[in-house]
Structure formats: C-alpha cells, structure tokens
Amino acid sequence: MAADVGSLFENNKQLVELNIFNRLVHADRIIKFRVTWQADNGDVHVNTGYRVQHSNLIGPYKGGLRFHPSVNESILKFLAFEQMFKNALTGLPIGGAKGGSDFDPSDKSEPEIMRFCQAFMNELYHYIGDQVDIPAGDINVGSREIGYLFGQHRRLTKKFSGAITGKELEYGGSHVRTEATGFGLLYFVCEMLGRLDKKIEDLVVSVSGSGNVALHAALKAIQLGAKVITLSSSQGHLFVEDGFCEAQVNQLIAAKGSSTEKLKSLNIGEWVDKHGPWQHCCDIALPCATQNEVTIEAAKQLVESGCMLVAEGANMPCTKEAVDWFEDKKVLHAPGKASNAGGVALSALEMGQNADFSRRSFAKLDEQLREIMHTIHDNCLQELNDADEKYLNYRKGANLAGFTLIASAAIAQGI
Ligand code: NDP
Ligand code: 2IT
C-alpha cells in the first residue's frame, strides 16, 4: 500500500502537509467489550467482542462481523482498513468498519448461538445505528446470526431500523444480498477476461472454501459455463475432476452442518485431507475462504500448472509474496477490496431499500450488481498510466483509486 501511493505523495504536497497517511492508517476508534453468555449445561462463558470503526469520511461505518476463535484486534484492524478502501471503490457512500468475536460457533447448539448473539448485541447496540454504523455478516455470521442480532437490536432500541444488513427477506432484507459477493466476484472475473478477449466458458476454476462466498462463486461460475473442480473447508478439500454440477452446489447451499461434513456428504470426487486446493491444474483460482490461505508455495504451484487469473473472494487470501509472484509471472490478480466488493455494495442497496421502505426485484438488483462490478473494474484501471501496469496491476490500481477518494474527503472536511 505505502509503495503504491508513494508517487502520489511526491506529486501532492498537501497529502504530506496535512499528514493524510497517518490520519488514514489509524482507526477512528476501536471498541472492545466483554460478552458473557450461558451454555446449555449452565456454565457461564466470557468472550471478547470488538468493533473497529475505521473511517466514516464518505458514509456511515460499514462492514461485517466475524465469529471465529482466530479473531483478535490485529486481524480486525487490517480488515477494517481494507474495508475503507473497498467501500470507497464501490462508488457508494459507505465508510469502513469491521467487528466480531473470538467465539467459536462450530460446537455450539442453536440456543447457545442465539444467547451469544443477544449478549454480543447487548453491548454493541450502544455504538451502531442506521446512520452511524451498520454491521453485516462475515465468517460464521450468516442469516441465522444476523436474525438474532437484529432481533436483539430491535428489542433494545424499540426501533425497526436498517441498522444491520444481510437480513432475511421477510424482515427488511434485500434480494441478491446472499449471492452478491460470489456473483459479483464472477462478474469481476468476466470483466478481467474481457480485456484479454477471453470468455469464461469451458475454463477450469478452482475455488477454496465452501461458505457463503465460495458456494455462490462456484454456482455463478457453473452457470456461466465454467468447470469448477474444487471446494474446501479448514480440514481439506474436495477435488472433482469432471466438475461440480449446479444441483450439487445448490445442495451444499441448502445443507446445514460443518463445511467438511457437507462436502463429504456429496459422496463424489476425492477428499484430500489437510491440504488447500491449489495443487490442481486450473485456468482460474478463486480463494474464497480466509486470509493468507494462498502462500508463496501455493502461488508457485498455481503458476506452474498454468493458472492465468487469480481473483480474491476472501479478504486478503493471498500473502504479499504470493501476489508479487503472480505479478512477476504476469498472472492477472484481483485484490479482494475490488473483486469481493459486491457483498458490501448489495448491503448498501439494502440500506437504501430500508431507508425508503421499498423492495427491488432480484433481476433489477442483479443488474445493478453487474454495473457496480463494472464500475469497480474501471476504477481500478483509471489511476494507472503505464501500459504494462494497466494490463497487470489491479493491486496498485485499486489502492490508488480507493486512497485518492478517501484522501480527497479527508482534505475537504478539514483537520
Ligand atoms: P463462511 O463462514 O460462510 O465460510 C467460510 C469458509 O471458509 C468455510 O468453508 C470455512 O471452513 C472456510 N475457512 C474458514 N477459516 C478457514 C481457515 N483458517 N482455513 C481454511 N478454510 C477456512 O464465510 P464467508 O463465505 O462469508 O467468508 C469467506 C471469506 O470472504 C472471508 O475472508 C470473508 O471476510 C470474505 N468476505 C465475505 C463477504 C460476505 O458478504 N460474507 C463479503 C466479502 C468478503 P470451516 O467451516 O471448516 O471453517
Ligand atoms: O468483507 C466484507 O465486505 C463483508 N463481510 C461484507 C460487509 C457488509 O457490510 O456487507
């Protein structure tokens, strides 16, 4: 990031004089709180909850909540920082935030998850609101958790307000929000392929993860005529040489239980324990699980086996060394802040529908999502002048475009 924006600082003295870099690196505030909840057997547990409100320079704080044992302040700080640039790239008026807890939902009962969500909201509700900060889902926070969180917010505030997105349709949710990150990722990939005069039909796609983002990415890739050969969980991956079919992916979307159990229950292909999915030959790799899952070793395997395009569905799934490798080998790489921005963009459209008590159709919102991904793709290229960079360097383009927008807002609004 710093290297990408270095030349910008040389050419714009105001950025230095007004100390813009330091002002944007530090979060506006970090809220940290205790969450006490009771297990089914009567035991009382304590977890830590967080909300990092990074910047509301261009709109109210906006970003997901993650429940995972790996959650800590450091991870949420980088996710909130990235979210600020991602949200700016959408062209919509949303600031950047992220939150969550180190709570592990994987071995908890439904009532335990409900009680945890309620206890979490008992503290978080002080800091959010439809004009202030609007959380949504992320890892292990899907429509069930959003329902419990929203219900508790409604009880505590006595207001039915759009203070959370990712809601079910019946109580203020939006069509396409569930699908948006994965579908948007594929619309972005099609934009990238279009510049190479290529189409996605018949290309081989490797996807990691088997959660909300991964499954909707796989579904859209198959619908567009690609062959999806892998899906994964934290325990390993499923390799299907002939490719998953649409019905199998839909079955996974509808299924309950752990990612590993769901994948194994399909009884197809080859289950590879404890390995990520990057060892197989593919044209396109879509990391859609978690941060740092594509290491330099995985990047080398992908390049060697002929992969020509990597687009991030997850947030920062490729290590810096992996991205450097892709760029060095002229493999197109899209950073998550651009390619996975469809989810938060649809969240912003959900906020708009909540604000004017309206509901748009699936078809209309899907079309809007396509347009937004097209705009984000254009935004990534517009700051690059060098022809080589324009061909290759989405990372630099996305950082420059996001930074320029946020920096202008910071300058315009004074110190
Ligand atoms: P889900 O909880 O629905 O799915 C997460 C998937 O990733 C599961 O299959 C999970 O497997 C796997 N996973 C989680 N941790 C690890 C790990 N350490 N190693 C390997 N696999 C892992 O989350 P989402 O699909 O919503 O999120 C996936 C990624 O996309 C995250 O990086 C998230 O920040 C990002 N994202 C999400 C958006 C959204 O709207 N939901 C929007 C934009 C980005 P298991 O169950 O075995 O842990
Ligand atoms: O990383 C992300 O963009 C999300 N988890 C979605 C955030 C949102 O507010 O919809």
Side-chain angles (χ1 to χ4, degrees), residues 324-356:
D324 289 344
W325 191 261
F326 294 138
E327 285 175 7
D328 191 51
K329 302 295 172 199
K330 305 237 176 296
V331 169
L332 290 193
H333 162 264
K337 63 168 78 73
S339 50
N340 76 30
V344 76
L346 240 299
S347 275
L349 300 185
E350 180 175 331
M351 286 159 62
Q353 292 169 87
N354 291 163
D356 61 13

Side-chain angles (χ1 to χ4, degrees), residues 178-330:
T178 310
E179 297 83 357
T181 313
F183 281 20
L185 176 66
L186 266 295
Y187 299 152
F188 196 92
V189 166
C190 290
E191 296 281 339
M192 295 169 83
L193 288 170
R195 295 176 68 221
L196 309 177
D197 276 332
K198 286 190 194 299
K199 292 219 175 334
I200 195 164
E201 277 110 316
D202 301 327
L203 294 184
V204 177
V205 179
S206 191
V207 178
S208 69
S210 50
N212 171 274
V213 179
L215 293 177
H216 290 100
L219 184 66
K220 183 52 76 177
I222 296 168
Q223 288 171 352
L224 293 171
K227 182 160 97 171
V228 174
I229 56 164
T230 64
L231 288 166
S232 75
S233 75
S234 51
Q235 308 303 315
H237 73 269
L238 185 61
F239 170 59
V240 180
E241 195 169 6
D242 295 334
F244 292 86
C245 69
E246 216 178 310
Q248 286 158 347
V249 177
N250 276 323
Q251 188 181 323
L252 291 171
I253 290 172
K256 300 218 180 322
S258 85
S259 300
T260 310
E261 281 165 24
K262 286 193 282 186
L263 289 170
K264 286 185 175 172
S265 74
L266 285 180
N267 282 321
I268 53 166
E270 180 195 348
W271 175 259
V272 185
D273 225 21
K274 303 212 168 30
H275 279 278
W278 312 121
Q279 72 212 55
H280 307 284
C281 285
C282 65
D283 301 299
I284 296 176
L286 303 177
C288 295
T290 194
Q291 63 270 7
N292 297 328
E293 54 168 313
V294 181
T295 58
I296 179 67
E297 291 77 25
K300 286 181 178 173
Q301 276 185 322
L302 282 168
V303 173
E304 253 167 55
S305 60
C307 176
M308 62 165 175
L309 189 157
V310 180
E312 298 182 348
N315 284 309
M316 297 189 90
C318 302
T319 63
K320 182 182 176 307
E321 294 72 28
V323 180
D324 289 344
W325 191 261
F326 294 138
E327 285 175 7
D328 191 51
K329 302 295 172 199
K330 305 237 176 296

Side-chain angles (χ1 to χ4, degrees), residues 20 41 67 85 130 171 237 294 312 324 379 386 388 406:
I20 293 296
N41 66 3
F67 293 165
F85 297 109
D130 58 3
Y171 58 90
H237 73 269
V294 181
E312 298 182 348
D324 289 344
N379 286 346
D386 176 271
D388 272 358
I406 303 282

Side-chain angles (χ1 to χ4, degrees), residues 107-214:
D107 55 354
K108 305 298 185 295
S109 72
E110 178 103 19
E112 286 174 332
I113 287 174
M114 181 178 77
R115 287 197 292 276
F116 176 80
C117 289
Q118 292 173 340
F120 183 86
M121 185 52 77
N122 285 346
E123 195 57 36
L124 185 71
Y125 93 99
H126 295 292
Y127 309 102
I128 64 172
D130 58 3
Q131 315 254 323
V132 181
D133 181 354
I134 305 95
D138 194 78
I139 293 180
N140 290 330
V141 178
S143 62
R144 174 182 62 176
E145 290 73 21
I146 294 292
Y148 294 144
L149 291 162
F150 179 79
Q152 191 68 352
H153 185 267
R154 181 183 50 74
R155 285 179 209 103
L156 291 166
T157 60
K158 300 195 255 59
K159 277 192 203 155
F160 190 100
S161 78
I164 305 178
T165 60
K167 303 182 287 298
E168 296 272 10
L169 281 180
E170 294 76 14
Y171 58 90
S174 171
H175 284 297
V176 190
R177 176 62 191 90
T178 310
E179 297 83 357
T181 313
F183 281 20
L185 176 66
L186 266 295
Y187 299 152
F188 196 92
V189 166
C190 290
E191 296 281 339
M192 295 169 83
L193 288 170
R195 295 176 68 221
L196 309 177
D197 276 332
K198 286 190 194 299
K199 292 219 175 334
I200 195 164
E201 277 110 316
D202 301 327
L203 294 184
V204 177
V205 179
S206 191
V207 178
S208 69
S210 50
N212 171 274
V213 179

